Amino acid sequence: MISFLSINNLKLSGRKGKSIIYKKIKLVYLRKIFTSLIKMKSIVLPAYNGNVLRAMLGLKVMEVDIPKISDEEVLVKIAAAPCNPSDIAFMQGKYNVVKKLPALMGFEGSGVVVDAGNNTVAKSMMGKRVACFTQSQTSGTWTEFAKIHYKNCIPARDAIDDEQASTLYINPITAIGLIEYAKQKKAKAIVQNAAGGQLASFIRMLAKKEDITVVNIVRKPEQQQKIIDQDNSIVLCSATDNFEEELVETIKAEKVDLCFDAVGGEEAAQLFNALEPNSDLLIYGGLSNKDIAGLNTMDIIFKNKKILGFNALDWIGQKNESDFLELTNKIQSLFEEKFIQTSISGIYSFDEVVKGLKYYIQNMSEGKILIKPTL
Ligand SMILES: NC(=O)c1ccc[n+]([C@@H]2O[C@H](COP(=O)([O-])OP(=O)(O)OC[C@H]3O[C@@H](n4cnc5c(N)ncnc54)[C@H](OP(=O)(O)O)[C@@H]3O)[C@@H](O)[C@H]2O)c1
């Protein structure tokens, strides 16, 4: 069989017309080869398990059917897919997406469109490299092929490699959405926790552009020094004895009136209580896996302090196609200029996925682990 690589590397030499013909032949070959395949390798979750280690150990590499696409979907040959906290929560059965078991893993990735439905935009993506996202019951990105709605694909510019492209969708959109919220609130300073993570690093960079001060909170002392060295930012460590007093003082001194919380639980309550009147606590993650207790009720009633949630998918759901295009162009430019980049701590094959996941949950601040079907 002709390999994908040889097709992909077809030289488009000669005059322009000739190269267009070669391109068309290449697309026809792509579709022919990949639609003739029936099975693909995938990482499959057979059962949810609240114990993260047991959930990971339960994962299986299996041959499954390649999903059938509808008119508005494309089939992406996955090049790389990251593991995000949402994947960890999902396999524990603690995420807002619950799939019928056995389930395909992975929500985000990058790759080449090798088949497309009849929709005009979907068809226009044939042969293109895309960043993609899916929460479909019958798809996943820790697979050889993923079916994706065309609206959840961002064509990736050449300067952005497959690894960075695989992280182009959810975190950059979320960081931009959060900063938009800060701008609407006219916040001059924000406080954020889980500050050693990738999304938090994007928030720091985007905030700098808008002249918004960021007070960062990490839970490990080594993270504190790392961020100070990288960004010369204000960083507090929640593990220090006087953290609470330091937090209150810093919020007052920096005139913080907005908090981005990715942790929930006790830490969210601590942050809320430390905020000044007229401040907002915007919760976008639940890394502690705990509900929030211990909020100061009087502050909510008498100090005009608000608690809100932020979900990137709802935020982009409110955008029309041209606004979404503008947003994705902005993200591509930020990655192309290397203004923001995702740190990657390791790349793993399907067979090494448990090893990779174990490394990730113990070293989240080092960066994402990626899964590559071709390894
Ligand atoms: N709402 C939305 O639309 C949306 C979209 C995208 C992402 N998110 C959420 O954003 C959060 C960050 O995502 P990410 O991709 O940046 O993650 P990431 O790069 O994997 O980093 C996670 C960070 O959180 C820290 N952390 C983990 N558990 C913690 C805990 N219990 N308490 C305090 N810190 C903790 C880690 O620090 P250590 O090194 O100390 O473990 C690490 O620095 C996640 O909750 C994710 O689900 C939400």
Side-chain angles (χ1 to χ4, degrees), residues 181 185 272 275 278-282 300 304-308:
Y181 184 89
K185 191 178 160 63
F272 180 80
L275 288 169
N278 306 310
S279 298
D280 296 351
L281 174 76
L282 197 57
I300 301 175
N304 191 31
K305 287 162 75 167
K306 294 192 198 77
I307 304 172
L308 304 103

Side-chain angles (χ1 to χ4, degrees), residues 251-320:
I251 282 176
K252 213 178 185 116
E254 299 299 329
K255 299 191 169 49
V256 169
D257 60 0
L258 177 60
C259 172
F260 294 152
D261 170 48
V263 177
E266 279 164 37
E267 195 164 307
Q270 198 175 35
L271 283 167
F272 180 80
N273 296 342
L275 288 169
E276 293 280 290
N278 306 310
S279 298
D280 296 351
L281 174 76
L282 197 57
I283 303 169
Y284 70 95
L287 287 162
S288 66
N289 268 330
K290 293 201 180 111
D291 290 336
I292 303 174
L295 290 172
N296 186 323
T297 314
M298 294 301 139
D299 275 16
I300 301 175
I301 304 171
F302 297 113
K303 292 191 178 168
N304 191 31
K305 287 162 75 167
K306 294 192 198 77
I307 304 172
L308 304 103
F310 180 88
N311 173 17
L313 297 181
D314 290 342
W315 184 66
I316 51 172
Q318 293 159 10
K319 295 198 172 294
N320 60 34

Side-chain angles (χ1 to χ4, degrees), residues 84-86 170-171 174 194 196-200 219-220 223 262-263 284-288 310-312 360 364-365 368:
N84 289 313
S86 51
I170 197 72
N171 274 355
T174 309
Q198 297 309 301
L199 183 40
R219 61 175 175 174
K220 296 176 186 157
Q223 293 305 326
V263 177
Y284 70 95
L287 287 162
S288 66
F310 180 88
N311 173 17
Y360 171 64
M364 280 180 129
S365 296
K368 300 288 173 197

Side-chain angles (χ1 to χ4, degrees), residues 39-333:
K39 295 274 182 192
M40 64 175 183
K41 256 189 178 182
S42 269
I43 311 262
V44 173
L45 178 78
Y48 294 105
N49 197 318
N51 178 310
V52 68
L53 197 61
R54 288 203 194 120
M56 282 173 191
L57 291 171
L59 292 174
K60 299 222 169 336
V61 182
M62 284 171 72
E63 289 268 322
V64 300
D65 289 346
I66 294 181
K68 297 257 175 301
I69 54 167
S70 69
D71 280 352
E72 300 209 312
E73 288 173 329
V74 297
L75 190 69
V76 178
K77 184 177 191 298
I78 295 293
C83 173
N84 289 313
S86 51
D87 296 299
I88 302 292
F90 171 72
M91 64 178 90
Q92 293 178 282
K94 292 178 179 168
Y95 195 49
N96 70 321
V97 177
V98 180
K99 296 186 191 177
K100 215 173 132 218
L101 295 168
L104 298 179
M105 287 291 305
F107 297 120
E108 192 179 25
S110 66
V112 173
V113 173
V114 294
D115 195 11
N118 274 328
N119 175 283
T120 319
V121 187
K123 272 201 286 199
S124 73
M125 289 180 172
M126 227 359 240
K128 296 213 169 108
R129 221 163 52 87
V130 293
C132 59
F133 178 83
T134 176
Q135 287 188 337
S136 158
Q137 281 284 332
T138 50
S139 188
T141 56
W142 297 7
T143 61
E144 284 184 288
F145 298 94
K147 70 165 182 144
I148 313 275
H149 194 286
Y150 78 84
K151 286 186 177 167
N152 292 338
C153 288
I154 308 176
R157 292 184 192 161
D158 289 350
I160 305 169
D161 63 24
D162 289 340
E163 287 79 15
Q164 288 298 319
S166 73
T167 65
L168 207 67
Y169 203 97
I170 197 72
N171 274 355
I173 288 176
T174 309
I176 291 174
L178 290 170
I179 291 295
E180 283 299 315
Y181 184 89
K183 279 162 65 183
Q184 270 168 25
K185 191 178 160 63
K186 298 191 171 44
K188 290 269 171 274
I190 58 178
V191 58
Q192 66 166 347
N193 55 12
Q198 297 309 301
L199 183 40
S201 78
F202 295 169
I203 290 171
R204 259 194 310 282
M205 294 306 290
L206 296 173
K208 206 178 269 178
K209 243 187 170 173
E210 303 295 338
D211 221 10
I212 299 172
T213 304
V214 182
V215 175
N216 299 277
I217 301 170
V218 294
R219 61 175 175 174
K220 296 176 186 157
E222 63 269 24
Q223 293 305 326
Q224 187 175 20
Q225 200 49 51
K226 194 173 146 197
I227 301 174
I228 293 171
D229 293 346
Q230 272 168 2
D231 289 330
N232 195 23
S233 305
I234 307 165
V235 193
L236 310 179
C237 178
S238 58
T240 50
D241 291 341
N242 59 345
F243 169 66
E244 206 149 355
E245 297 94 83
E246 248 191 304
L247 179 65
V248 172
E249 277 167 26
T250 315
I251 282 176
K252 213 178 185 116
E254 299 299 329
K255 299 191 169 49
V256 169
D257 60 0
L258 177 60
C259 172
F260 294 152
D261 170 48
V263 177
E266 279 164 37
E267 195 164 307
Q270 198 175 35
L271 283 167
F272 180 80
N273 296 342
L275 288 169
E276 293 280 290
N278 306 310
S279 298
D280 296 351
L281 174 76
L282 197 57
I283 303 169
Y284 70 95
L287 287 162
S288 66
N289 268 330
K290 293 201 180 111
D291 290 336
I292 303 174
L295 290 172
N296 186 323
T297 314
M298 294 301 139
D299 275 16
I300 301 175
I301 304 171
F302 297 113
K303 292 191 178 168
N304 191 31
K305 287 162 75 167
K306 294 192 198 77
I307 304 172
L308 304 103
F310 180 88
N311 173 17
L313 297 181
D314 290 342
W315 184 66
I316 51 172
Q318 293 159 10
K319 295 198 172 294
N320 60 34
E321 283 197 18
S322 89
D323 287 348
F324 184 67
L325 188 67
E326 195 183 315
L327 172 69
T328 58
N329 277 332
K330 178 176 174 175
I331 292 171
Q332 303 236 40
S333 299

